[in-house]
Amino acid sequence: MRRSRPTRTLLTALTALTALTTTACGATRQPNDAEPPPAPRNRPTTSHPAPPQPSSPSPADGTDVGACTDGNCEIAVTEPVTIYFPAPDDAGRATLSVTKVGPNEIEYEVKSGNNRSTGGAEGPGQGCLTYLRDRGSGNSCGALDPTRPTPRPGAVVIQATTGTDGTALLHIVSP
C-alpha cells in the first residue's frame, strides 16, 4: 500500500514532535559541584500567629468565697483563704483552709467533725481530689482536668487544681 505525500509528511512531523516533547519533558539537570546552589526563589510569605495558649477557665463563681457556703462552688484563689460549707450527711459545718497558693502550687487542709485531710500539689496541671464523708475522707493527687468533678452520693468532693499564674481553681461539689 502506497501512502500519499501529505500523509507521509504529516506522520514525519508527528514523529518529530513526539520525540521533541519526550526529550524536553524528560530532561533533568544534574547538579554540578563547581556551580553554586541556585538561589531560593523569592516568594511572598505569610506569617501565621502562634496557636493560642489554653487559658485558665473562668470559674463560675469568680473569686467569691461566699459562693461556697452552700457546698457547691467553683472559685479561683490567689492567696490563703478559709471556706466554710455543709459537711456530708448534715453533720454540721466543714472547713477548707487553703494554706499556700503560688504558680503551679496549692496546699490545703479539710476538717469536718473528727475528720481531717490535707492535700497539696505542685506542677502544671496538677491537683488533688478530696472525698469528704461523714465517717472519713480520702485524697488523690496528680494530673487533673480542671473541669468540675462529678458529685458522689454521701460525699462532698473538693478539687483543687494548680494554675501557672499563681491562681488555683477550687471546686466544692455536694450531693
Side-chain angles (χ1 to χ4, degrees):
M1 174 164 139
R2 187 167 181 205
R3 294 191 181 167
S4 67
R5 185 172 168 97
T7 304
R8 237 183 298 155
T9 305
L10 182 59
L11 283 175
T12 304
L14 283 175
T15 303
L17 277 174
T18 302
L20 258 173
T21 304
T22 303
T23 303
C25 289
T28 58
R29 184 173 176 254
Q30 297 298 320
N32 182 349
D33 289 338
E35 292 179 15
R41 293 186 308 188
N42 288 336
R43 291 188 291 185
T45 59
T46 56
S47 65
H48 298 282
Q53 295 298 318
S55 61
S56 299
S58 296
D61 298 309
T63 59
D64 182 13
V65 174
C68 298
T69 59
D70 66 353
N72 285 293
C73 65
E74 176 184 59
I75 63 169
V77 295
T78 57
E79 59 188 25
V81 65
T82 300
I83 301 168
Y84 301 96
F85 57 94
D89 294 331
D90 297 322
R93 304 289 292 161
T95 305
L96 167 64
S97 297
V98 176
T99 56
K100 189 174 187 180
V101 181
N104 297 314
E105 181 177 35
I106 186 162
E107 290 180 10
Y108 64 93
E109 179 179 58
V110 180
K111 293 180 185 175
S112 175
N114 292 329
N115 297 322
R116 182 175 167 226
S117 184
T118 59
E122 287 185 18
Q126 300 294 304
C128 294
L129 280 169
T130 299
Y131 296 93
L132 183 61
R133 295 179 175 83
D134 66 342
R135 295 197 176 132
S137 61
N139 278 347
S140 175
C141 297
L144 285 180
D145 183 350
T147 58
R148 181 179 172 86
T150 305
R152 304 284 182 192
V156 175
V157 181
I158 300 162
Q159 177 176 306
T161 310
T162 64
T164 57
D165 62 355
T167 301
L169 184 61
L170 297 177
H171 290 92
I172 300 176
V173 180
S174 294

Coordinates of all heavy atoms in Angstrom, one line a residue, residues 51-110:
P51 N -0.4 29.4 67.8 CA -1.7 29.0 68.2 C -1.9 29.5 69.6 O -1.0 29.6 70.4 CB -1.6 27.4 68.2 CG -0.1 27.1 68.2 CD 0.6 28.3 67.6
P52 N -3.2 29.8 69.9 CA -3.5 30.4 71.2 C -3.2 29.4 72.3 O -3.4 28.2 72.2 CB -5.0 30.7 71.1 CG -5.5 29.9 70.0 CD -4.4 29.6 69.1
Q53 N -2.6 29.9 73.4 CA -2.4 29.1 74.6 C -3.7 28.8 75.3 O -4.5 29.8 75.4 CB -1.4 29.8 75.5 CG 0.0 29.9 74.9 CD 0.6 28.6 74.5 OE1 0.6 27.7 75.3 NE2 1.3 28.5 73.4
P54 N -3.9 27.6 75.8 CA -5.1 27.4 76.5 C -5.1 28.3 77.8 O -4.2 28.4 78.5 CB -5.0 25.9 76.9 CG -3.6 25.5 76.7 CD -3.0 26.5 75.8
S55 N -6.2 29.0 77.9 CA -6.3 29.9 79.1 C -7.0 29.2 80.2 O -7.7 28.2 80.0 CB -7.0 31.1 78.7 OG -8.4 30.8 78.3
S56 N -6.8 29.7 81.4 CA -7.4 29.1 82.5 C -8.9 29.3 82.4 O -9.3 30.4 82.0 CB -6.9 29.7 83.8 OG -5.6 29.5 84.0
P57 N -9.7 28.3 82.6 CA -11.1 28.5 82.5 C -11.6 29.6 83.6 O -11.1 29.6 84.7 CB -11.8 27.2 82.8 CG -10.7 26.4 83.5 CD -9.4 27.0 83.1
S58 N -12.6 30.4 83.2 CA -13.1 31.3 84.1 C -14.0 30.6 85.1 O -15.0 29.9 84.7 CB -13.9 32.4 83.4 OG -13.1 33.1 82.6
P59 N -13.7 30.7 86.4 CA -14.6 30.0 87.4 C -16.0 30.6 87.4 O -16.2 31.8 87.3 CB -13.8 30.2 88.7 CG -12.9 31.3 88.5 CD -12.6 31.4 87.0
A60 N -16.9 29.7 87.5 CA -18.3 30.1 87.5 C -18.7 31.2 88.6 O -19.5 32.1 88.4 CB -19.2 28.9 87.7
D61 N -18.0 31.0 89.8 CA -18.3 32.0 90.9 C -17.2 33.0 91.1 O -17.1 33.6 92.1 CB -18.5 31.2 92.2 CG -19.7 30.2 92.1 OD1 -20.8 30.7 91.7 OD2 -19.6 29.0 92.3
G62 N -16.3 33.1 90.1 CA -15.2 34.1 90.2 C -14.3 33.8 91.4 O -13.8 32.8 91.6
T63 N -14.2 34.9 92.2 CA -13.3 34.8 93.4 C -14.2 34.9 94.7 O -13.6 35.0 95.8 CB -12.3 35.9 93.4 OG1 -12.9 37.1 93.4 CG2 -11.3 35.7 92.3
D64 N -15.5 34.7 94.6 CA -16.4 34.9 95.7 C -16.4 33.7 96.6 O -17.1 32.7 96.3 CB -17.8 35.1 95.1 CG -18.8 35.4 96.2 OD1 -18.5 35.6 97.4 OD2 -20.0 35.3 95.9
V65 N -15.7 33.7 97.7 CA -15.6 32.7 98.7 C -17.0 32.4 99.3 O -17.3 31.2 99.6 CB -14.6 33.0 99.8 CG1 -14.6 32.0 100.9 CG2 -13.2 33.1 99.2
G66 N -17.8 33.4 99.4 CA -19.2 33.2 99.9 C -20.0 32.3 99.1 O -21.0 31.8 99.6
A67 N -19.7 32.1 97.8 CA -20.5 31.3 96.9 C -20.4 29.8 97.4 O -21.2 29.0 97.0 CB -20.0 31.4 95.5
C68 N -19.4 29.5 98.2 CA -19.2 28.1 98.6 C -19.9 27.7 99.9 O -19.9 26.5 100.3 CB -17.7 27.9 98.9 SG -16.7 28.1 97.4
T69 N -20.6 28.6 100.5 CA -21.3 28.3 101.8 C -22.4 27.3 101.6 O -22.8 26.7 102.6 CB -21.9 29.6 102.4 OG1 -22.8 30.2 101.5 CG2 -20.7 30.6 102.8
D70 N -22.9 27.1 100.4 CA -23.9 26.1 100.2 C -23.3 24.7 99.8 O -24.1 23.7 99.7 CB -24.9 26.5 99.2 CG -24.3 26.6 97.8 OD1 -23.1 26.5 97.6 OD2 -25.1 26.9 96.8
G71 N -22.0 24.6 99.7 CA -21.4 23.3 99.4 C -21.2 23.1 97.9 O -20.8 22.0 97.5
N72 N -21.5 24.1 97.1 CA -21.4 23.9 95.6 C -20.8 25.2 95.1 O -21.5 26.2 95.1 CB -22.7 23.6 95.0 CG -23.2 22.2 95.2 OD1 -22.5 21.2 94.7 ND2 -24.2 22.0 96.0
C73 N -19.6 25.1 94.6 CA -19.0 26.4 94.0 C -17.8 26.0 93.1 O -17.3 24.9 93.2 CB -18.5 27.3 95.1 SG -17.2 26.7 96.2
E74 N -17.4 27.0 92.4 CA -16.2 27.0 91.5 C -15.6 28.3 91.6 O -16.2 29.3 91.1 CB -16.6 26.6 90.1 CG -15.4 26.6 89.2 CD -15.8 26.4 87.7 OE1 -16.6 27.2 87.2 OE2 -15.3 25.4 87.1
I75 N -14.5 28.4 92.3 CA -13.8 29.7 92.5 C -12.3 29.7 92.3 O -11.7 28.6 92.3 CB -14.1 30.3 94.0 CG1 -13.4 29.4 95.0 CG2 -15.5 30.5 94.3 CD1 -13.3 30.0 96.4
A76 N -11.8 30.9 92.0 CA -10.3 31.0 91.9 C -9.8 31.7 93.1 O -10.4 32.6 93.7 CB -10.0 31.9 90.6
V77 N -8.6 31.2 93.6 CA -8.0 31.8 94.8 C -6.5 32.1 94.4 O -5.9 31.3 93.7 CB -8.1 30.9 96.0 CG1 -9.5 30.7 96.5 CG2 -7.4 29.5 95.8
T78 N -6.0 33.2 95.0 CA -4.6 33.6 94.7 C -3.9 33.7 96.0 O -2.7 34.0 96.0 CB -4.6 34.9 94.0 OG1 -5.3 35.9 94.7 CG2 -5.2 34.8 92.6
E79 N -4.5 33.5 97.1 CA -3.9 33.6 98.4 C -4.6 32.7 99.4 O -5.7 32.2 99.1 CB -3.9 35.1 98.9 CG -5.3 35.6 99.1 CD -5.4 37.1 99.4 OE1 -4.4 37.8 99.0 OE2 -6.4 37.5 99.9
P80 N -4.0 32.5 100.6 CA -4.6 31.6 101.6 C -6.0 32.1 101.9 O -6.2 33.3 102.0 CB -3.7 31.7 102.8 CG -2.3 31.9 102.2 CD -2.6 32.8 101.0
V81 N -6.9 31.2 102.1 CA -8.3 31.5 102.4 C -9.0 30.4 103.2 O -8.6 29.2 103.0 CB -9.1 31.9 101.1 CG1 -9.2 30.6 100.2 CG2 -10.4 32.5 101.3
T82 N -10.0 30.7 104.0 CA -10.8 29.6 104.7 C -12.2 29.7 104.2 O -12.8 30.8 104.1 CB -10.7 29.9 106.2 OG1 -9.3 29.8 106.6 CG2 -11.5 28.8 106.9
I83 N -12.7 28.5 103.9 CA -14.1 28.4 103.3 C -14.9 27.5 104.2 O -14.4 26.4 104.6 CB -14.0 27.8 101.9 CG1 -13.2 28.7 101.0 CG2 -15.4 27.6 101.3 CD1 -12.8 28.1 99.6
Y84 N -16.1 27.9 104.6 CA -17.0 27.1 105.4 C -18.1 26.6 104.5 O -18.7 27.3 103.7 CB -17.5 27.9 106.6 CG -16.4 28.4 107.5 CD1 -15.9 29.7 107.3 CD2 -15.9 27.6 108.5 CE1 -14.9 30.2 108.1 CE2 -14.9 28.1 109.3 CZ -14.4 29.4 109.1 OH -13.4 29.9 109.9
F85 N -18.5 25.3 104.7 CA -19.6 24.7 103.9 C -20.2 23.6 104.6 O -19.6 23.1 105.6 CB -19.1 24.3 102.5 CG -17.9 23.3 102.6 CD1 -18.2 21.9 102.5 CD2 -16.6 23.7 102.7 CE1 -17.1 21.0 102.6 CE2 -15.6 22.8 102.8 CZ -15.8 21.4 102.8
P86 N -21.4 23.1 104.2 CA -22.0 22.0 105.0 C -21.2 20.7 104.9 O -20.8 20.3 103.8 CB -23.4 21.8 104.3 CG -23.6 23.1 103.5 CD -22.2 23.6 103.2
A87 N -21.1 20.0 106.0 CA -20.4 18.7 106.0 C -21.4 17.6 105.4 O -22.6 17.9 105.3 CB -20.0 18.3 107.4
P88 N -20.8 16.5 105.0 CA -21.7 15.5 104.4 C -22.7 14.9 105.4 O -22.4 14.9 106.6 CB -20.7 14.4 103.9 CG -19.4 14.8 104.5 CD -19.4 16.1 104.9
D89 N -23.9 14.5 104.9 CA -24.9 13.9 105.7 C -25.3 14.8 106.9 O -25.6 14.3 108.0 CB -24.5 12.5 106.2 CG -24.4 11.5 105.0 OD1 -25.1 11.7 104.0 OD2 -23.6 10.6 105.1
D90 N -25.4 16.1 106.7 CA -25.9 17.1 107.7 C -25.1 16.9 109.0 O -25.7 17.0 110.1 CB -27.4 16.9 107.9 CG -28.2 17.2 106.6 OD1 -27.8 18.2 105.9 OD2 -29.2 16.5 106.4
A91 N -23.8 16.7 108.9 CA -23.0 16.5 110.1 C -22.4 17.9 110.6 O -21.3 17.9 111.0 CB -21.9 15.5 109.9
G92 N -23.1 18.9 110.4 CA -22.5 20.3 110.8 C -21.8 21.0 109.6 O -22.1 20.8 108.5
R93 N -20.8 21.7 110.0 CA -20.0 22.5 109.1 C -18.7 21.9 108.8 O -18.1 21.3 109.7 CB -19.8 24.0 109.6 CG -21.0 24.8 109.9 CD -21.9 25.2 108.8 NE -21.3 26.2 107.9 CZ -21.7 26.4 106.7 NH1 -22.7 25.7 106.2 NH2 -21.2 27.3 105.9
A94 N -18.2 22.1 107.6 CA -16.8 21.6 107.3 C -16.0 22.9 106.9 O -16.6 23.9 106.6 CB -16.9 20.7 106.1
T95 N -14.7 22.7 107.0 CA -13.8 23.9 106.7 C -12.7 23.4 105.7 O -12.1 22.4 105.9 CB -13.1 24.3 108.0 OG1 -14.1 24.6 109.0 CG2 -12.2 25.5 107.7
L96 N -12.6 24.2 104.7 CA -11.5 24.1 103.7 C -10.6 25.3 103.9 O -11.0 26.4 103.7 CB -12.0 24.0 102.3 CG -10.9 24.2 101.2 CD1 -9.9 23.0 101.2 CD2 -11.6 24.3 99.8
S97 N -9.3 25.0 104.4 CA -8.3 26.1 104.5 C -7.2 25.9 103.5 O -6.5 25.0 103.6 CB -7.7 26.0 105.9 OG -8.7 26.2 106.9
V98 N -7.2 26.9 102.6 CA -6.1 26.9 101.6 C -5.0 27.6 102.3 O -5.1 28.7 102.7 CB -6.5 27.6 100.3 CG1 -5.3 27.7 99.4 CG2 -7.7 26.9 99.6
T99 N -3.8 26.9 102.5 CA -2.7 27.4 103.2 C -1.6 27.9 102.4 O -0.8 28.7 102.8 CB -2.1 26.3 104.2 OG1 -1.8 25.2 103.4 CG2 -3.2 25.9 105.2
K100 N -1.5 27.5 101.1 CA -0.5 28.0 100.2 C -1.0 28.0 98.8 O -1.6 27.0 98.3 CB 0.7 27.1 100.4 CG 2.0 27.6 99.6 CD 3.2 26.7 100.0 CE 4.4 27.3 99.4 NZ 5.6 26.4 99.8
V101 N -0.7 29.1 98.1 CA -1.1 29.2 96.6 C 0.1 29.9 95.9 O 0.6 30.9 96.4 CB -2.4 30.0 96.4 CG1 -2.7 30.0 94.9 CG2 -3.5 29.4 97.2
G102 N 0.5 29.4 94.8 CA 1.5 30.0 94.0 C 1.5 29.5 92.6 O 0.7 28.6 92.3
P103 N 2.4 29.9 91.8 CA 2.5 29.4 90.4 C 2.7 27.8 90.5 O 3.6 27.4 91.1 CB 3.7 30.1 89.8 CG 3.8 31.3 90.6 CD 3.4 31.0 92.0
N104 N 1.7 27.1 89.9 CA 1.7 25.7 89.8 C 1.8 25.0 91.2 O 2.5 24.0 91.4 CB 2.9 25.2 88.9 CG 2.7 25.6 87.5 OD1 1.6 25.5 87.0 ND2 3.8 26.2 86.9
E105 N 1.2 25.6 92.2 CA 1.3 25.1 93.6 C 0.0 25.4 94.4 O -0.5 26.5 94.3 CB 2.5 25.7 94.2 CG 2.7 25.3 95.6 CD 4.0 25.9 96.2 OE1 4.3 27.0 95.9 OE2 4.7 25.2 97.0
I106 N -0.4 24.4 95.2 CA -1.5 24.6 96.1 C -1.4 23.6 97.3 O -0.9 22.5 97.1 CB -2.9 24.5 95.5 CG1 -4.0 24.9 96.5 CG2 -3.2 23.1 94.9 CD1 -5.3 25.2 95.9
E107 N -1.7 24.1 98.5 CA -1.8 23.2 99.7 C -3.0 23.6 100.4 O -3.3 24.8 100.5 CB -0.5 23.4 100.5 CG 0.7 22.9 99.9 CD 2.0 23.0 100.8 OE1 1.8 23.4 102.0 OE2 3.1 22.8 100.3
Y108 N -3.7 22.6 101.0 CA -4.9 22.9 101.8 C -5.1 21.8 102.8 O -4.5 20.7 102.8 CB -6.1 23.0 100.8 CG -6.4 21.7 100.1 CD1 -7.4 20.8 100.6 CD2 -5.8 21.4 98.9 CE1 -7.7 19.7 100.0 CE2 -6.2 20.3 98.2 CZ -7.1 19.4 98.7 OH -7.4 18.3 98.1
E109 N -6.1 22.1 103.7 CA -6.5 21.2 104.8 C -8.0 21.2 104.9 O -8.6 22.3 104.8 CB -5.9 21.6 106.1 CG -6.3 20.8 107.3 CD -5.7 21.2 108.6 OE1 -5.9 22.4 109.0 OE2 -5.0 20.4 109.2
V110 N -8.6 20.1 105.0 CA -10.1 20.0 105.2 C -10.4 19.4 106.5 O -9.8 18.4 106.9 CB -10.7 19.1 104.1 CG1 -12.2 19.0 104.2 CG2 -10.3 19.6 102.7

